[in-house]
Amino acid sequence: MTILPWRCVAKLDPERYHSDHLLQIVVHSPFDAIILGGTSGVTRENATDLALALRRRRVRIPVWQEISDGQAVAFGVDGYLVPVVLNATDIDYLARGHIQALRYYREQISWNHLLALGYIVMHGDCAVGQKTKAEIPRDFYDVLALAEYGVKLCGLKALYIEYSGRLGDDDLVARLRALLPSVQVFYGGGISSYDQLDRFLSVASTVVVGNALYTNPYGVFDVATPKMV
Ligand code: 1GP
């Protein structure tokens, strides 16, 4: 069962600069949703500013924030994704930060607009791997154990296979999804062309495009370019 009906998602980092041109491309490309998220430097102000900048450009798809800091929750978004980093060895990113946030914000939380993501960080050369001190899976069975811990023991409904900055293993994603067919499996990492997007769309429930939007915004959806004038 898919929890959020998104196949292809743009991830924008509130800490980065967004030109009008880039926002127009994102708003007019055939993404199903936009996630606002970054590992560091996200504040309530810059995330809210980015949400409002998208609204001003009449974005017609959902805009959700992926919360990386309980102090930096944006206004003006449609919902919130909450990463639970299953292979974090820093307990703050597995549980402690979430519990502290619930202690202070529980009465303000709209549970119908919130989805917890069981993150599995797949390599250590990325900000999220370093920040959370992630213990990197050695093989598919490490990934499966993390996924089953999240899904079967903790009841998570969505997983995020995070290869940030690096193109991942589509066969691993396919094997995982085949064993956990009721889970929404997000894939993110290194997508910079339509062919790569297409390949991962065939194995993941939802594919996230991040950095390529900043470096080569027409690369992924070159087919959409004519619509963007
Ligand atoms: C990062 O998974 C996303 O959290 C997207 O990764 O920036 O490598 O596309 P890229």
Side-chain angles (χ1 to χ4, degrees):
M1 180 178 66
T2 298
I3 308 304
L4 293 167
W6 306 341
R7 292 286 285 141
C8 182
V9 174
K11 186 186 279 193
L12 297 178
D13 183 345
E15 196 193 16
R16 295 178 79 160
Y17 170 69
H18 298 88
S19 65
D20 180 60
H21 182 63
L22 173 56
L23 293 177
Q24 292 290 354
I25 289 173
V26 172
V27 165
H28 293 288
S29 291
F31 290 109
D32 299 310
I34 299 170
I35 296 174
L36 311 184
T39 302
S40 60
V42 179
T43 64
R44 181 190 299 271
E45 289 71 28
N46 63 21
T48 300
D49 284 351
L50 182 51
L52 296 180
L54 290 163
R55 300 269 173 238
R56 280 196 299 277
R57 287 163 182 82
R58 303 187 189 285
V59 63
R60 285 193 288 264
I61 54 178
V63 178
W64 283 47
Q65 184 187 13
E66 184 180 66
I67 300 173
S68 51
D69 176 348
Q71 305 291 320
V73 179
F75 299 110
V77 296
D78 299 303
Y80 300 96
L81 301 169
V82 179
V84 174
V85 182
L86 297 170
N87 56 337
T89 64
D90 183 336
I91 192 71
D92 280 3
Y93 301 100
L94 177 66
R96 186 164 167 266
H98 310 71
I99 293 163
Q100 286 174 349
L102 287 170
R103 169 70 178 79
Y104 290 107
Y105 300 119
R106 56 175 293 280
E107 289 184 356
Q108 298 159 41
I109 294 172
S110 172
W111 291 100
N112 291 335
H113 299 93
L114 184 145
L115 178 67
L117 299 175
Y119 249 67
I120 301 176
V121 182
M122 297 299 295
H123 67 86
D125 295 333
C126 56
V128 63
Q130 288 160 12
K131 184 176 179 185
T132 64
K133 301 184 173 63
E135 186 168 72
I136 304 306
R138 295 161 302 179
D139 57 21
F140 175 73
Y141 293 98
D142 275 353
V143 177
L144 184 58
L146 287 161
E148 290 191 326
Y149 171 75
V151 171
K152 295 190 175 173
L153 293 186
C154 301
L156 294 172
K157 296 178 171 60
L159 296 170
Y160 192 120
I161 308 303
E162 175 64 288
Y163 277 96
S164 180
R166 189 183 287 185
L167 197 64
D169 179 349
D170 53 337
D171 184 53
L172 178 147
V173 178
R175 289 173 72 192
L176 187 67
R177 195 165 168 221
L179 290 168
L180 296 169
S182 65
V183 175
Q184 181 169 5
V185 176
F186 286 71
Y187 167 84
I191 301 285
S192 62
S193 71
Y194 186 78
D195 286 349
Q196 293 166 350
L197 174 66
D198 199 37
R199 176 147 63 93
F200 279 90
L201 281 173
S202 72
V203 293
S205 318
T206 304
V207 178
V208 179
V209 181
N211 194 53
L213 296 169
Y214 298 91
T215 56
N216 181 17
Y218 291 117
V220 176
F221 278 129
D222 50 348
V223 289
T225 306
K227 287 199 278 181
M228 292 176 215
V229 242

Coordinates of all heavy atoms in Angstrom, one line a residue, residues 109-179:
I109 N 0.6 18.9 16.7 CA 0.9 18.0 15.6 C -0.4 17.6 15.0 O -1.3 17.1 15.6 CB 1.7 16.8 16.1 CG1 3.1 17.3 16.5 CG2 1.9 15.8 15.0 CD1 3.9 16.2 17.2
S110 N -0.5 17.7 13.6 CA -1.6 17.2 12.9 C -1.2 15.9 12.3 O -0.5 15.8 11.3 CB -1.9 18.2 11.8 OG -2.9 17.7 10.9
W111 N -1.6 14.8 13.0 CA -1.1 13.5 12.6 C -1.5 13.0 11.2 O -0.8 12.2 10.6 CB -1.5 12.5 13.7 CG -0.9 12.7 15.0 CD1 -1.4 13.3 16.1 CD2 0.5 12.3 15.4 NE1 -0.4 13.4 17.1 CE2 0.7 12.8 16.7 CE3 1.5 11.7 14.7 CZ2 1.9 12.6 17.3 CZ3 2.7 11.5 15.4 CH2 2.9 11.9 16.7
N112 N -2.6 13.6 10.7 CA -3.0 13.2 9.4 C -2.1 13.8 8.3 O -2.2 13.4 7.1 CB -4.4 13.7 9.1 CG -5.4 13.0 9.9 OD1 -5.2 11.9 10.3 ND2 -6.6 13.6 10.2
H113 N -1.2 14.7 8.7 CA -0.3 15.3 7.7 C 1.1 15.0 8.1 O 2.0 15.9 7.9 CB -0.6 16.8 7.6 CG -2.0 17.1 7.1 ND1 -3.0 17.3 8.0 CD2 -2.5 17.1 5.9 CE1 -4.1 17.5 7.3 NE2 -3.9 17.4 6.0
L114 N 1.4 13.9 8.6 CA 2.7 13.5 9.0 C 3.0 12.1 8.7 O 2.1 11.2 8.9 CB 2.8 13.8 10.5 CG 4.2 13.5 11.2 CD1 4.3 14.6 12.3 CD2 4.3 12.1 11.7
L115 N 4.2 11.8 8.2 CA 4.5 10.4 7.9 C 6.0 10.2 8.3 O 6.9 11.0 8.0 CB 4.5 10.2 6.3 CG 4.9 8.8 5.9 CD1 3.9 7.7 6.4 CD2 5.0 8.7 4.4
A116 N 6.2 9.2 9.1 CA 7.5 8.8 9.6 C 8.2 8.0 8.5 O 7.6 7.1 8.0 CB 7.4 8.0 10.9
L117 N 9.4 8.3 8.2 CA 10.2 7.6 7.2 C 11.3 6.8 7.9 O 12.1 7.4 8.6 CB 10.9 8.5 6.2 CG 10.0 9.5 5.4 CD1 10.8 10.4 4.6 CD2 9.1 8.6 4.5
G118 N 11.4 5.5 7.7 CA 12.5 4.7 8.2 C 13.7 4.9 7.3 O 13.7 4.3 6.2
Y119 N 14.6 5.8 7.6 CA 15.8 6.1 6.8 C 16.8 5.0 6.9 O 17.1 4.5 8.0 CB 16.4 7.4 7.2 CG 16.3 8.5 6.3 CD1 15.0 9.1 6.0 CD2 17.4 9.1 5.7 CE1 14.9 10.2 5.2 CE2 17.3 10.2 4.8 CZ 16.0 10.7 4.6 OH 15.9 11.8 3.7
I120 N 17.4 4.5 5.8 CA 18.5 3.7 5.9 C 19.6 4.4 5.0 O 19.5 4.6 3.8 CB 18.2 2.3 5.3 CG1 17.1 1.6 6.1 CG2 19.5 1.4 5.3 CD1 16.6 0.3 5.6
V121 N 20.7 4.8 5.7 CA 21.7 5.6 5.0 C 22.7 4.5 4.5 O 23.2 3.7 5.2 CB 22.5 6.5 6.0 CG1 23.5 7.3 5.3 CG2 21.4 7.5 6.7
M122 N 23.0 4.6 3.2 CA 23.7 3.5 2.5 C 25.2 3.8 2.3 O 25.9 2.9 1.9 CB 23.0 3.3 1.1 CG 21.6 2.8 1.2 SD 21.4 1.3 2.1 CE 22.2 0.2 1.0
H123 N 25.7 5.0 2.6 CA 27.1 5.2 2.6 C 27.5 6.3 3.5 O 26.6 7.1 3.9 CB 27.6 5.4 1.1 CG 27.2 6.7 0.5 ND1 27.8 7.9 0.7 CD2 26.1 7.0 -0.3 CE1 27.2 8.8 0.0 NE2 26.1 8.3 -0.6
G124 N 28.7 6.4 3.9 CA 29.2 7.4 4.9 C 29.6 8.7 4.3 O 29.9 9.6 5.1
D125 N 29.7 8.8 3.0 CA 30.3 10.0 2.4 C 29.2 11.1 2.1 O 29.2 11.7 1.1 CB 30.9 9.7 1.1 CG 32.2 8.8 1.3 OD1 32.7 8.9 2.4 OD2 32.5 8.1 0.3
C126 N 28.2 11.2 3.0 CA 27.2 12.2 2.8 C 26.9 12.8 4.2 O 27.2 12.2 5.2 CB 25.9 11.5 2.3 SG 25.2 10.2 3.2
A127 N 26.3 14.0 4.1 CA 26.1 14.8 5.4 C 25.2 14.0 6.4 O 25.5 14.0 7.6 CB 25.5 16.1 5.0
V128 N 24.2 13.3 5.9 CA 23.3 12.6 6.8 C 24.0 11.5 7.5 O 23.8 11.2 8.6 CB 22.0 12.2 6.1 CG1 22.2 11.2 5.0 CG2 21.0 11.6 7.1
G129 N 24.9 10.8 6.7 CA 25.6 9.7 7.3 C 26.6 10.1 8.4 O 26.7 9.5 9.4
Q130 N 27.2 11.3 8.1 CA 28.2 11.8 9.1 C 27.4 12.4 10.4 O 27.8 12.1 11.5 CB 29.1 12.8 8.5 CG 30.1 12.1 7.6 CD 30.7 13.0 6.5 OE1 30.6 14.2 6.6 NE2 31.3 12.4 5.5
K131 N 26.4 13.1 10.1 CA 25.6 13.7 11.2 C 25.0 12.7 12.2 O 25.1 12.9 13.4 CB 24.6 14.6 10.6 CG 23.8 15.4 11.7 CD 22.8 16.4 11.0 CE 22.0 17.2 12.0 NZ 21.0 18.0 11.4
T132 N 24.5 11.6 11.6 CA 23.8 10.6 12.4 C 24.8 9.5 12.9 O 24.3 8.6 13.6 CB 22.6 10.0 11.6 OG1 23.2 9.3 10.5 CG2 21.7 11.0 11.1
K133 N 26.0 9.6 12.4 CA 27.0 8.5 12.7 C 26.4 7.2 12.3 O 26.4 6.2 13.1 CB 27.4 8.5 14.2 CG 28.0 9.8 14.6 CD 28.5 9.8 16.1 CE 29.3 11.0 16.5 NZ 28.6 12.2 16.5
A134 N 25.9 7.1 11.1 CA 25.2 5.9 10.6 C 26.2 4.8 10.5 O 27.3 4.9 10.0 CB 24.6 6.2 9.2
E135 N 25.7 3.6 10.9 CA 26.5 2.4 10.7 C 26.0 1.8 9.3 O 24.9 1.4 9.2 CB 26.1 1.4 11.8 CG 27.0 0.1 11.8 CD 26.8 -0.7 13.1 OE1 25.7 -1.3 13.3 OE2 27.7 -0.7 13.9
I136 N 26.9 1.8 8.4 CA 26.6 1.6 7.0 C 26.3 0.1 6.8 O 27.2 -0.8 7.2 CB 27.7 2.1 6.0 CG1 27.9 3.6 6.3 CG2 27.3 1.8 4.6 CD1 26.7 4.5 6.2
P137 N 25.2 -0.3 6.2 CA 25.0 -1.7 5.9 C 26.1 -2.4 5.1 O 26.6 -1.8 4.1 CB 23.6 -1.7 5.1 CG 23.1 -0.4 5.3 CD 24.2 0.6 5.6
R138 N 26.5 -3.6 5.5 CA 27.5 -4.3 4.7 C 27.0 -5.0 3.5 O 27.7 -5.2 2.5 CB 28.2 -5.3 5.7 CG 28.9 -4.7 6.8 CD 29.1 -5.7 7.9 NE 27.9 -6.3 8.4 CZ 27.7 -7.2 9.3 NH1 28.8 -7.8 9.8 NH2 26.5 -7.7 9.6
D139 N 25.7 -5.4 3.6 CA 25.2 -6.2 2.5 C 23.6 -6.1 2.5 O 23.1 -5.4 3.4 CB 25.6 -7.7 2.5 CG 25.3 -8.3 3.9 OD1 24.3 -7.8 4.5 OD2 25.9 -9.3 4.2
F140 N 23.0 -6.8 1.6 CA 21.5 -6.7 1.5 C 20.9 -7.2 2.8 O 19.9 -6.6 3.2 CB 21.1 -7.6 0.3 CG 19.6 -7.7 0.3 CD1 18.8 -6.6 -0.1 CD2 18.9 -8.8 0.7 CE1 17.4 -6.7 -0.2 CE2 17.5 -8.9 0.7 CZ 16.8 -7.8 0.2
Y141 N 21.5 -8.2 3.5 CA 20.8 -8.7 4.7 C 20.9 -7.7 5.9 O 20.0 -7.7 6.7 CB 21.4 -10.1 5.0 CG 20.9 -11.0 3.9 CD1 21.8 -11.4 2.9 CD2 19.6 -11.5 3.9 CE1 21.4 -12.2 1.8 CE2 19.2 -12.3 2.8 CZ 20.1 -12.7 1.8 OH 19.7 -13.5 0.8
D142 N 21.9 -6.9 5.9 CA 21.9 -5.8 6.9 C 20.8 -4.8 6.6 O 20.1 -4.3 7.5 CB 23.3 -5.0 6.8 CG 24.4 -5.6 7.6 OD1 24.1 -6.6 8.4 OD2 25.5 -5.1 7.5
V143 N 20.6 -4.5 5.3 CA 19.5 -3.6 4.9 C 18.2 -4.2 5.2 O 17.3 -3.5 5.8 CB 19.6 -3.3 3.4 CG1 18.4 -2.4 2.9 CG2 20.9 -2.6 3.0
L144 N 18.0 -5.4 4.9 CA 16.8 -6.1 5.2 C 16.5 -6.1 6.7 O 15.3 -5.9 7.2 CB 16.8 -7.5 4.7 CG 15.5 -8.3 4.8 CD1 14.3 -7.6 4.1 CD2 15.7 -9.7 4.2
A145 N 17.5 -6.3 7.5 CA 17.3 -6.4 9.0 C 16.9 -5.0 9.5 O 16.0 -4.9 10.3 CB 18.6 -6.8 9.7
L146 N 17.5 -3.9 9.0 CA 17.1 -2.6 9.4 C 15.7 -2.3 8.9 O 14.9 -1.7 9.7 CB 18.1 -1.6 8.7 CG 19.5 -1.5 9.3 CD1 20.5 -0.9 8.3 CD2 19.5 -0.8 10.6
A147 N 15.4 -2.7 7.7 CA 14.0 -2.4 7.2 C 13.0 -3.2 8.0 O 11.9 -2.6 8.3 CB 14.0 -2.9 5.7
E148 N 13.3 -4.4 8.3 CA 12.3 -5.2 9.1 C 12.2 -4.7 10.5 O 11.1 -4.8 11.1 CB 12.6 -6.7 9.0 CG 12.4 -7.2 7.6 CD 12.4 -8.7 7.5 OE1 13.2 -9.3 8.2 OE2 11.7 -9.3 6.7
Y149 N 13.3 -4.2 11.1 CA 13.2 -3.6 12.4 C 12.2 -2.4 12.3 O 11.3 -2.3 13.2 CB 14.6 -3.1 12.8 CG 14.5 -2.3 14.1 CD1 14.3 -2.8 15.3 CD2 14.6 -0.9 14.0 CE1 14.2 -2.0 16.5 CE2 14.5 -0.1 15.1 CZ 14.3 -0.7 16.4 OH 14.2 0.1 17.5
G150 N 12.4 -1.6 11.3 CA 11.5 -0.4 11.2 C 10.1 -0.8 10.9 O 9.1 -0.2 11.5
V151 N 9.9 -1.7 10.0 CA 8.5 -2.0 9.5 C 7.8 -3.0 10.5 O 6.7 -2.8 10.9 CB 8.6 -2.6 8.1 CG1 7.2 -3.1 7.6 CG2 9.1 -1.5 7.1
K152 N 8.5 -4.1 10.7 CA 7.8 -5.2 11.5 C 7.8 -5.0 13.0 O 6.9 -5.4 13.7 CB 8.3 -6.5 11.0 CG 8.0 -6.8 9.5 CD 8.4 -8.2 9.1 CE 7.9 -8.4 7.7 NZ 8.4 -9.7 7.1
L153 N 8.9 -4.5 13.5 CA 8.9 -4.3 14.9 C 8.4 -2.9 15.4 O 7.7 -2.8 16.4 CB 10.4 -4.4 15.5 CG 11.0 -5.8 15.4 CD1 12.4 -5.8 16.1 CD2 10.1 -6.8 16.0
C154 N 8.7 -1.9 14.6 CA 8.2 -0.5 15.0 C 7.0 0.0 14.2 O 6.5 1.0 14.6 CB 9.4 0.5 14.8 SG 10.9 0.1 15.7
G155 N 6.5 -0.7 13.2 CA 5.3 -0.4 12.5 C 5.4 0.8 11.6 O 4.4 1.4 11.2
L156 N 6.6 1.1 11.1 CA 6.7 2.2 10.1 C 6.1 1.7 8.8 O 6.1 0.6 8.4 CB 8.2 2.5 9.8 CG 8.9 3.2 11.0 CD1 10.4 3.3 10.7 CD2 8.3 4.5 11.4
K157 N 5.5 2.7 8.1 CA 4.8 2.4 6.8 C 5.6 2.8 5.6 O 5.2 2.5 4.4 CB 3.5 3.1 6.8 CG 2.5 2.5 7.9 CD 1.2 3.2 7.9 CE 0.2 2.6 8.8 NZ 0.7 2.6 10.2
A158 N 6.7 3.5 5.8 CA 7.5 4.0 4.7 C 9.0 3.9 5.0 O 9.4 4.1 6.2 CB 7.2 5.4 4.3
L159 N 9.8 3.5 4.0 CA 11.3 3.5 4.2 C 11.9 4.4 3.2 O 11.3 4.7 2.1 CB 11.8 2.1 3.9 CG 11.3 0.9 4.8 CD1 11.7 -0.4 4.3 CD2 11.9 1.1 6.2
Y160 N 13.1 4.9 3.5 CA 13.8 5.8 2.6 C 15.2 5.2 2.4 O 16.0 5.3 3.4 CB 13.8 7.2 3.1 CG 14.3 8.3 2.2 CD1 13.5 9.4 1.9 CD2 15.6 8.3 1.6 CE1 13.9 10.4 1.0 CE2 16.0 9.3 0.8 CZ 15.1 10.3 0.5 OH 15.5 11.3 -0.4
I161 N 15.5 4.7 1.2 CA 16.8 4.2 1.0 C 17.7 5.4 0.5 O 17.5 5.9 -0.7 CB 16.8 3.1 -0.1 CG1 15.8 2.0 0.3 CG2 18.2 2.4 -0.3 CD1 16.0 1.4 1.7
E162 N 18.6 5.8 1.3 CA 19.3 7.1 1.1 C 20.7 6.9 0.6 O 21.6 6.4 1.4 CB 19.3 7.9 2.4 CG 20.1 9.2 2.4 CD 19.6 10.2 1.4 OE1 19.7 10.0 0.2 OE2 19.0 11.2 1.9
Y163 N 20.9 7.2 -0.7 CA 22.2 7.1 -1.3 C 22.7 8.5 -1.6 O 23.5 8.7 -2.6 CB 22.2 6.3 -2.6 CG 22.3 4.8 -2.5 CD1 21.1 4.0 -2.5 CD2 23.5 4.2 -2.4 CE1 21.2 2.6 -2.4 CE2 23.6 2.8 -2.4 CZ 22.4 2.0 -2.4 OH 22.5 0.7 -2.3
S164 N 22.3 9.5 -0.9 CA 22.6 10.9 -1.2 C 23.9 11.1 -1.9 O 25.0 10.7 -1.4 CB 22.6 11.7 0.2 OG 22.8 13.0 -0.1
G165 N 23.9 11.8 -3.0 CA 25.1 12.1 -3.8 C 25.7 11.0 -4.6 O 26.7 11.2 -5.3
R166 N 25.1 9.9 -4.6 CA 25.7 8.7 -5.2 C 24.5 7.9 -5.8 O 23.5 7.6 -5.2 CB 26.4 7.9 -4.2 CG 27.3 6.8 -4.7 CD 27.9 6.0 -3.6 NE 29.0 6.7 -2.9 CZ 29.8 6.2 -2.0 NH1 29.6 4.9 -1.6 NH2 30.8 6.9 -1.4
L167 N 24.7 7.4 -7.1 CA 23.7 6.5 -7.6 C 23.8 5.2 -7.0 O 24.8 4.5 -6.9 CB 23.9 6.4 -9.1 CG 22.7 5.9 -9.9 CD1 21.5 6.9 -9.8 CD2 23.1 5.7 -11.4
G168 N 22.6 4.7 -6.5 CA 22.6 3.5 -5.7 C 22.4 2.2 -6.5 O 22.5 2.2 -7.8
D169 N 22.0 1.2 -5.8 CA 21.9 -0.2 -6.3 C 20.4 -0.5 -6.6 O 19.7 -0.7 -5.6 CB 22.5 -1.2 -5.3 CG 22.4 -2.6 -5.8 OD1 21.7 -2.9 -6.8 OD2 23.0 -3.5 -5.1
D170 N 20.0 -0.4 -7.8 CA 18.5 -0.6 -8.1 C 18.1 -2.1 -7.8 O 16.9 -2.3 -7.4 CB 18.2 -0.2 -9.5 CG 19.0 -0.9 -10.6 OD1 20.1 -1.3 -10.2 OD2 18.6 -0.9 -11.7
D171 N 19.0 -3.0 -7.9 CA 18.7 -4.4 -7.6 C 18.4 -4.6 -6.2 O 17.4 -5.3 -5.8 CB 19.8 -5.3 -8.1 CG 19.5 -6.8 -7.9 OD1 18.4 -7.2 -8.4 OD2 20.2 -7.5 -7.2
L172 N 19.1 -3.9 -5.3 CA 18.9 -4.0 -3.9 C 17.5 -3.4 -3.5 O 16.8 -4.0 -2.7 CB 20.0 -3.2 -3.1 CG 19.9 -3.1 -1.6 CD1 21.3 -3.1 -1.0 CD2 19.1 -1.9 -1.1
V173 N 17.2 -2.3 -4.2 CA 15.9 -1.7 -3.9 C 14.8 -2.6 -4.3 O 13.8 -2.8 -3.6 CB 15.8 -0.3 -4.6 CG1 14.4 0.3 -4.4 CG2 16.9 0.6 -4.1
A174 N 14.9 -3.2 -5.5 CA 13.9 -4.2 -6.0 C 13.7 -5.4 -5.1 O 12.6 -5.8 -4.8 CB 14.3 -4.6 -7.4
R175 N 14.9 -5.9 -4.6 CA 14.8 -7.1 -3.7 C 14.1 -6.7 -2.4 O 13.2 -7.4 -1.9 CB 16.2 -7.6 -3.4 CG 16.8 -8.3 -4.5 CD 18.3 -8.7 -4.2 NE 18.4 -9.8 -3.3 CZ 19.5 -10.1 -2.7 NH1 20.6 -9.4 -2.9 NH2 19.6 -11.1 -1.9
L176 N 14.4 -5.5 -1.9 CA 13.8 -5.1 -0.6 C 12.3 -4.9 -0.8 O 11.5 -5.3 0.0 CB 14.4 -3.8 -0.2 CG 14.0 -3.2 1.2 CD1 14.5 -4.2 2.3 CD2 14.6 -1.8 1.4
R177 N 11.9 -4.3 -1.9 CA 10.5 -4.0 -2.1 C 9.7 -5.3 -2.3 O 8.5 -5.4 -1.9 CB 10.3 -3.0 -3.3 CG 9.0 -2.4 -3.4 CD 8.9 -1.2 -4.3 NE 7.6 -0.8 -4.6 CZ 7.1 -0.4 -5.8 NH1 8.0 -0.4 -6.8 NH2 5.9 -0.1 -5.9
A178 N 10.3 -6.2 -3.0 CA 9.6 -7.5 -3.2 C 9.3 -8.2 -1.9 O 8.3 -8.9 -1.7 CB 10.5 -8.4 -4.1
L179 N 10.2 -8.0 -0.9 CA 10.0 -8.7 0.4 C 9.1 -7.9 1.3 O 8.6 -8.4 2.3 CB 11.4 -8.9 1.1 CG 12.2 -10.0 0.4 CD1 13.7 -10.0 0.9 CD2 11.6 -11.4 0.6

